[in-house]
Amino acid sequence: MYSSTGIDASNFVSGVDTAFMVILGIAFFFLISITATMIYFIIRYNKKRNPIAKQIKGSTKLEIIWTIIPTILVMVMFYFGWAGWRPMQNPPENALEIETTARMWSFNFKYPNGRITDTLYVPQDQPVKLNLFSLDVIHSLYIPAFRVKQDMVPGKENQFMWFTPRSLGDYDLFCAEYCGLQHSYMYSGVRVLPREEFDKWYSDTSRVVSTAGAAPEMKGLQILRINGCNACHSTDGSKLLGPSYRGSFGATRIVETDGEKREIIVDEEYIRRSIYEPNSDIVEGYSSGLMLSYKDLISEEEIEDIILYIKSLND
Amino acid sequence: MTREGNQHDEISYLRVQGRYRGIFAWIFSTDHKRIGLLYLYSIMTFFLVGATLGLLMKLELIAPGKTVMEAQTYNGFFTFHGVIMIFLIIIPGLPATFGNFLLPIMIGAKDVAFPRLNLLSWWIYVFGALLALSSQFMGDGPPDTGWTFYAPYSFKTTTNMLPAVMGAFVLGFSSILTGLNFIVTIHRMRAPGMTWLKMPLFPWTLYGTGWIQLLATPVVGITLLMVAAERILNIGFFDPSMGGDPILYQHLFWIYSHPAVYIMILPAMGAISEIIPTFARKSIFGYRAIVLSTLAIAFVGYFVWGHHMFTSGMSGTALYTFSILTFFVAIPSAIKVFNWVSTMHAGSIHAEPPFYWAASFIFVFMIGGLTGLVLGSLATNVHVHDTQFVVAHFHYVMFGGVGFAFMAAIHYWFPKIYGRMYDKGMAKTGWLIFFIGFNTLYLPMFYLGIRGMPRRYFDYLEEFHGPNIISTIGAVVLIAGLFMILSNLIVSARKGEKASGNPWKGNTLEWKIPSPPPPENFEETPVITRGPYDFN
Ligand SMILES: [Cu+2]
């Protein structure tokens, strides 16, 4: 009815949608019948038609009836809500486990073979379990078509969500918990592939999808995209939460190191340090604590590509 | 105020000359009626600010991408909008304005139990409000955390959230003192013969609310202090990087903020329970059932806060306990709706403006309540939690429920407060425009939420565009209706036709004294022999 896909995109859709139908059905029934009764009374017992009111003070029988009926109905509604939700708590043993990390303002997905992506690729009909981690504030992973949502609380262990994708296609994936400036841009997608296609995609373990034939520095841009750097750094010179890459290479910066101000020049070493220990030198006019270290996420070679790309923005 | 225009023979509370003159005769007055009006004017002023912010946000959302403001401004706006609407308007809302004005009169007393404390509450309110407002103009920019101040974002943001938190803390004291004052007043000052079960329903709901204010508000006070301490001293209650727990913050916050919803809605229900019998010329149906359901809501309402946290990873047992309790709160609310509608049965209905507001209150409140069932149920909550659906739901309850009841109340008690009547035709037209605008604004948001659009979104994907346009149009219509309603009331307070002591033929005590009431309310203390809704 209200599925954005119109189909069973995941194993939870039918349970959740049944609960929706039951509750919305009961809700519409009461809304319409009570409103209609009220309007009827207002017309029927208008002062012109009924100049003298009949003083009725109540009826214990009615009070009992309209306490019991709603009580039964809420139990029914509770049951359907519980039944649709319970399977979400029990991931199957054979699920494909994907380490999912959120930070301001991007998600990334790490597969068992080490492959990292910013879009979630999953095989059709395979149970998938996302182990959820947040590096900074609370985020919430939400895939409307699958009817799943789970908060990602920093520092909390054993957070997960699971589902079995049923239909091929691309689906939206949002961050649902407000997490600051770019919250509404913290979204990505889920791509459900047929088994063979997924396996082919999966076996390509180079961490970055090669842009065949493209200039080497474009690899740098890919890495920045996948790691969500562009949420805070622009490539066109405009100031976001962090300084723009454009024109930064070779520029002089005033930075604060351990509370001391000093002047430095942006070079390879500085960029490397900015990525691995972002809070050791804080650029004047920007806040500390926003950018987190990418020590285990970005390799030395990848930093070389990033530097190539940043340099390329200068010409 | 309406001093000049008032030509009543008896000296009314509006004209009486006390120790101070001019504005001081108001801001230092301990007369519960004047204090009620002080709250009314403060609340209306803040409401205009909050509504303007709401309209601007809706304009921003008329199209994807940036339209009228930056993302940071938008995030600041929804924070400020929420803080104003919740802490400055809906929580004090009906109790502080109509409660202050009417509670003593309706129970046959000359004033509340502690008139000076009552004035102090208003001063604390103003101080808290200014503190909260100062966050907009000082320091490193307006807070951008949302009115919920969720940790750890509220500690990471560089914006100026401390004054807003301290403002909310101070406002809590105002609320506690008002609650205490009302409870004591109701226990000690009822007129001779007014047994508990002869007390009108509006005071009954103020009584339920008073207890929630007294018992729940300290929890949020402590929580907000912890937030302040955390931010200033870096203690680490809630910061995971220092071993704290962000979920603890959410529990503490909602332990108060959920019962707060009932602080807001109970007096609204009370006002409706006064208005419907008067305009149906008929005794309220099921007086005892309404009293019992009021107390049941106040009680069960303490134990449902967890339904704000179904996706935060609480244990399964906690989840379904909170879910089932949430469903149980729906029952007393349903009972009230059945009783209100039954009151109309076999009545003699005078469809005056307050009745329009009251009947439409039942409609919008039902939508708010019934969509609450979707949120109380586990499976469906997971899907629509933190989406536009939730926003639509609580605007139906808060703005639809409390807001419509407030409008009903002001149109009902206006002639009592000012001794003048407004233009009824204009009031009805204003109501119609407002009602249409309201539903056009919020109904599409239910749809958007079910389709998966998260809340607190500055920008959205093209697939959500259509319903957002409709919603923005609704916002513009609603504001137009609001202007019509308010201008009618403001003009009529000075220039309206004179109203008699009992223009609606009401039966409760406030209608037995002149309009506007004399400073001491009653010349001699009334003795109560009949129930509040005995119409013959
Ligand atoms: Cu996020």
Side-chain angles (χ1 to χ4, degrees):
Chain A
M1 175 176 87
Y2 35 75
S3 130
S4 35
T5 59
I7 28 145
D8 264 5
S10 86
N11 57 323
F12 297 127
V13 173
S14 74
V16 174
D17 287 10
T18 308
F20 265 112
M21 298 295 183
V22 171
I23 298 173
L24 290 178
I26 294 175
F28 271 113
F29 172 78
F30 276 96
L31 179 67
I32 290 168
S33 54
I34 295 176
T35 308
T37 313
M38 184 167 77
I39 292 173
Y40 170 76
F41 285 169
I42 294 175
I43 297 169
R44 168 67 187 78
Y45 299 109
N46 190 275
K47 65 174 182 225
K48 288 201 199 84
R49 285 206 184 76
N50 203 33
I52 306 287
K54 197 166 149 217
Q55 300 301 326
I56 310 168
K57 298 216 165 158
S59 146
T60 315
K61 206 166 97 199
L62 276 178
E63 299 291 348
I64 291 174
I65 293 175
W66 63 47
T67 307
I68 290 179
I69 294 180
T71 308
I72 295 170
L73 288 178
V74 297
M75 301 295 270
V76 171
M77 290 188 270
F78 167 78
Y79 170 77
F80 280 97
W82 177 76
W85 160 87
R86 197 178 42 153
M88 297 179 187
Q89 305 297 103
N90 306 312
E93 293 287 311
N94 63 345
L96 167 66
E97 300 208 14
I98 301 172
E99 192 179 307
T100 305
T101 310
R103 60 166 74 210
M104 288 160 146
W105 291 281
S106 63
F107 293 104
N108 67 48
F109 304 96
K110 185 170 179 197
Y111 291 78
N113 67 352
R115 183 154 190 179
I116 296 182
T117 63
D118 59 348
T119 307
L120 180 60
Y121 287 80
V122 287
Q124 189 182 16
D125 292 328
Q126 155 76 48
V128 175
K129 180 175 174 217
L130 306 181
N131 294 315
L132 307 176
F133 302 92
S134 167
L135 297 178
D136 37 40
V137 300
I138 304 180
H139 301 277
S140 183
L141 198 152
Y142 177 31
I143 309 174
F146 293 179
R147 310 282 187 271
V148 289
K149 179 182 292 125
Q150 181 64 48
D151 291 0
M152 307 171 77
V153 181
K156 200 154 174 250
E157 316 257 299
N158 297 326
Q159 298 176 100
F160 69 88
M161 122 185 325
W162 82 276
F163 51 80
T164 308
R166 287 273 167 77
S167 318
L168 301 179
D170 290 326
Y171 305 97
D172 293 330
L173 181 158
F174 298 110
C175 172
E177 182 68 62
Y178 174 70
C179 55
L181 183 63
Q182 306 262 45
H183 168 55
S184 65
Y185 296 101
M186 184 163 168
Y187 63 82
S188 171
V190 185
R191 175 165 289 182
V192 182
L193 298 171
R195 186 82 232 182
E196 316 78 70
E197 239 179 90
F198 176 82
D199 288 341
K200 210 164 108 230
W201 173 86
Y202 189 59
S203 57
D204 174 9
T205 51
S206 63
R207 287 167 66 177
V208 173
V209 191
S210 64
T211 33
E217 67 264 18
M218 290 328 273
K219 234 176 115 191
L221 178 59
Q222 276 287 353
I223 299 167
L224 294 176
R225 285 216 179 110
I226 287 175
N227 288 291
C229 313
N230 299 356
C232 299
H233 298 286
S234 79
T235 54
D236 62 2
S238 58
K239 179 181 166 181
L240 299 177
L241 268 93
S244 176
Y245 306 125
R246 174 163 300 254
S248 70
F249 196 84
T252 29
R253 288 267 188 273
I254 309 228
V255 298
E256 204 176 303
T257 314
D258 299 324
E260 304 265 324
K261 284 216 165 74
R262 61 191 184 108
E263 206 176 89
I264 51 99
I265 297 206
V266 178
D267 56 11
E268 277 93 348
E269 183 45 38
Y270 171 75
I271 293 181
R272 186 171 299 114
R273 207 169 53 244
S274 290
I275 297 174
Y276 284 161
E277 301 158 38
N279 295 313
S280 58
D281 304 318
I282 303 299
V283 185
E284 185 164 50
Y286 295 89
S287 321
S288 103
L290 271 177
M291 182 170 164
L292 303 168
S293 168
Y294 286 80
K295 189 116 204 138
D296 305 322
L297 288 167
I298 296 183
S299 65
E300 296 274 350
E301 298 84 70
E302 285 172 324
I303 289 193
E304 295 305 320
D305 293 328
I306 293 177
I307 291 172
L308 268 179
Y309 173 71
I310 293 181
K311 278 186 181 160
S312 80
L313 286 173
N314 278 11
D315 358 285
Chain B
M1 326 298 136
T2 60
R3 291 244 300 274
E4 293 78 18
N6 194 300
Q7 265 131 52
H8 275 257
D9 298 322
E10 326 87 44
I11 293 278
S12 83
Y13 80 99
L14 291 170
R15 292 195 352 173
V16 71
Q17 195 64 63
R19 214 156 23 119
Y20 304 102
R21 275 159 202 273
I23 178 122
F24 297 107
W26 285 80
I27 61 177
F28 294 128
S29 167
T30 53
D31 179 347
H32 67 99
K33 298 182 283 305
R34 289 199 170 191
I35 295 176
L37 290 194
L38 287 178
Y39 275 112
L40 181 67
Y41 302 139
S42 341
I43 283 177
M44 285 322 270
T45 313
F46 293 130
F47 178 73
L48 289 180
V49 178
T52 309
L53 293 173
L55 180 67
L56 289 172
M57 283 191 285
K58 274 289 151 190
L59 289 178
E60 170 56 45
L61 291 179
I62 197 166
K66 180 188 159 204
T67 38
V68 295
M69 64 181 85
E70 298 290 339
Q72 186 64 37
T73 317
Y74 181 86
N75 295 349
F77 274 18
F78 73 65
T79 304
F80 199 34
H81 171 82
V83 168
I84 291 184
M85 291 299 194
I86 302 279
F87 293 109
L88 298 187
I89 294 168
I90 317 185
I91 291 183
L94 278 118
T97 53
F98 299 107
N100 260 316
F101 196 98
L102 290 154
L103 171 65
I105 308 183
M106 290 179 94
I107 62 172
K110 285 189 164 38
D111 207 321
V112 291
F114 309 114
R116 281 156 181 271
L117 194 66
N118 203 15
L119 178 62
L120 180 67
S121 305
W122 181 74
W123 276 102
I124 296 177
Y125 169 82
V126 170
F127 177 63
L130 292 180
L131 204 56
L133 295 187
S134 72
S135 66
Q136 298 295 310
F137 309 106
M138 304 176 345
D140 309 311
D144 64 341
T145 59
W147 74 278
T148 46
F149 306 120
Y150 264 22
Y153 181 70
S154 53
F155 306 117
K156 298 236 175 202
T157 179
T158 52
T159 57
N160 191 24
M161 55 92 67
L162 260 185
V165 168
M166 291 316 291
F169 177 72
V170 171
L171 288 165
F173 280 98
S174 166
S175 186
I176 295 174
L177 293 180
T178 305
L180 178 76
N181 217 337
F182 285 3
I183 293 175
V184 177
T185 308
I186 292 173
H187 270 277
R188 313 284 310 171
M189 304 189 54
R190 279 171 291 135
M194 183 174 280
T195 56
W196 284 97
L197 291 180
K198 286 212 173 70
M199 188 162 76
L201 289 162
F202 185 56
W204 259 115
T205 52
L206 292 173
Y207 184 70
T209 296
W211 278 110
I212 310 178
Q213 286 173 308
L214 203 59
L215 297 179
T217 316
V219 180
V220 78
I222 292 167
T223 313
L224 294 174
L225 272 191
M226 285 166 87
V227 170
E230 178 111 348
R231 231 182 123 105
I232 300 168
L233 309 170
N234 271 322
I235 294 182
F237 297 119
F238 308 126
D239 187 347
S241 59
M242 292 187 274
D245 182 1
I247 300 297
L248 174 66
Y249 173 82
Q250 297 183 14
H251 278 292
L252 290 171
F253 182 81
W254 289 114
I255 284 174
Y256 164 73
S257 297
H258 196 80
V261 172
Y262 301 105
I263 298 184
M264 313 173 205
I265 199 72
L266 281 179
M269 293 169 156
I272 298 301
S273 307
E274 298 296 335
I275 292 168
I276 292 178
T278 298
F279 291 93
R281 299 287 189 273
K282 185 172 165 263
S283 166
I284 187 97
F285 192 92
Y287 172 91
R288 277 163 195 256
I290 295 184
V291 169
L292 279 179
S293 58
T294 297
L295 298 178
I297 292 175
F299 180 73
V300 184
Y302 277 107
F303 305 103
V304 301
W305 77 86
H307 65 217
H308 294 272
M309 302 165 57
F310 281 165
T311 63
S312 74
M314 265 190 281
S315 83
T317 332
L319 288 177
Y320 52 76
T321 316
F322 279 126
S323 170
I324 198 145
L325 286 169
T326 303
F327 272 113
F328 281 140
V329 196
I331 300 168
S333 306
I335 294 174
K336 285 184 187 253
V337 168
F338 292 132
N339 282 301
W340 291 326
V341 174
S342 303
T343 304
M344 297 179 194
H345 172 254
S348 173
I349 292 173
H350 292 59
E352 302 278 10
F355 184 81
Y356 277 66
W357 283 105
S360 52
F361 163 91
I362 296 181
F363 176 76
V364 291
F365 177 69
M366 274 197 294
I367 297 183
L370 292 166
T371 52
L373 298 173
V374 173
L375 291 163
S377 141
L378 291 166
T380 47
N381 176 291
V382 169
H383 181 51
V384 290
H385 173 70
D386 266 335
T387 66
Q388 301 283 322
F389 188 95
V390 177
V391 182
H393 158 73
F394 70 72
H395 279 86
Y396 263 94
V397 177
M398 306 277 83
F399 194 13
V402 183
F404 275 59
F406 197 94
M407 288 293 196
I410 186 110
H411 284 87
Y412 181 51
W413 283 303
F414 186 91
K416 178 56 56 188
I417 295 175
Y418 295 103
R420 293 178 178 276
M421 187 54 89
Y422 46 81
D423 177 338
K424 290 182 186 172
M426 194 165 159
K428 287 178 186 172
T429 317
W431 163 82
L432 185 66
I433 298 173
F434 190 97
F435 181 75
I436 293 172
F438 179 87
N439 289 294
T440 316
L441 165 53
Y442 296 113
L443 281 177
M445 292 169 75
F446 284 122
Y447 176 74
L448 283 169
I450 286 180
R451 285 278 309 276
M453 178 175 163
R455 67 189 284 203
R456 295 176 168 175
Y457 252 35
F458 162 74
D459 194 358
Y460 53 83
L461 300 178
E462 185 55 42
E463 67 207 58
F464 301 123
H465 194 177
N468 270 300
I469 300 179
I470 301 176
S471 179
T472 304
I473 293 172
V476 176
V477 175
L478 179 141
I479 295 287
L482 185 69
F483 263 103
M484 186 155 179
I485 294 161
L486 290 184
S487 53
N488 184 16
L489 293 180
I490 291 169
V491 171
S492 307
R494 293 168 157 278
K495 306 229 163 78
E497 230 174 89
K498 288 233 200 77
S500 70
N502 190 2
W504 310 122
K505 306 281 169 292
N507 207 27
T508 34
L509 284 176
E510 78 272 29
W511 302 113
K512 312 241 152 107
I513 58 173
S515 302
E520 304 265 88
N521 301 342
F522 300 95
E523 270 166 32
E524 49 195 284
T525 310
V527 177
I528 302 342
T529 50
R530 289 147 50 98
Y533 308 106
D534 289 343
F535 274 87
N536 38 25

